[in-house]
Amino acid sequence: MLGVATVVECRGIKGTPNTKETIAALAALAQDSRLAVFRLLVQAGPEGLAASKIAEQISVTPSALSFHMKELSHAELVTSRHEGRFVIYSANFNTMNGLIGFLTENCCGGNVCSPGNACLVTEGSTT
């Protein structure tokens, strides 16, 4: 269930609505391979995955993965760390939650939406 504290923290990337950052994040995700990488990293959780595992799971070459990771990193959607000779990438959940919050900031007239009372647009509706 979505708590009030979560809603307050999700008012945009890094806590403030910023259209430029939102556009950068959406642009980075608007490509098949990058979207697949990001979804894979979200599923992996904070522990993340080694670059080699990511490339293997989404079937891209290491050079192509490097390009995609650069784009996701510039949009602050992923973070990286070194563990020995491996580069481990993780989804940046703060940015992800900020993006979701920014996109849904005034959803349902400013009321908290939950799966049980999500805003639904019915056929014939003008909203």
Side-chain angles (χ1 to χ4, degrees), residues 32-34 36-37 40 53-60 65 68:
D32 291 345
S33 295
R34 288 193 291 271
V37 167
L40 180 64
K53 291 284 186 190
I54 298 168
E56 177 184 305
Q57 290 197 25
I58 66 164
S59 301
V60 297
L65 180 65
H68 293 310

Side-chain angles (χ1 to χ4, degrees), residues 23-40 58-60 64-72 77:
I23 291 169
L26 291 173
L29 293 172
Q31 198 279 339
D32 291 345
S33 295
R34 288 193 291 271
L35 183 58
V37 167
F38 187 71
R39 291 186 58 157
L40 180 64
I58 66 164
S59 301
V60 297
L65 180 65
S66 178
F67 170 77
H68 293 310
M69 297 314 293
K70 177 185 63 95
E71 294 297 314
L72 291 168
L77 287 165

Side-chain angles (χ1 to χ4, degrees), residues 3-14:
V4 174
T6 303
V7 173
V8 172
E9 292 175 300
C10 296
R11 291 294 181 193
I13 297 171
K14 295 181 186 170

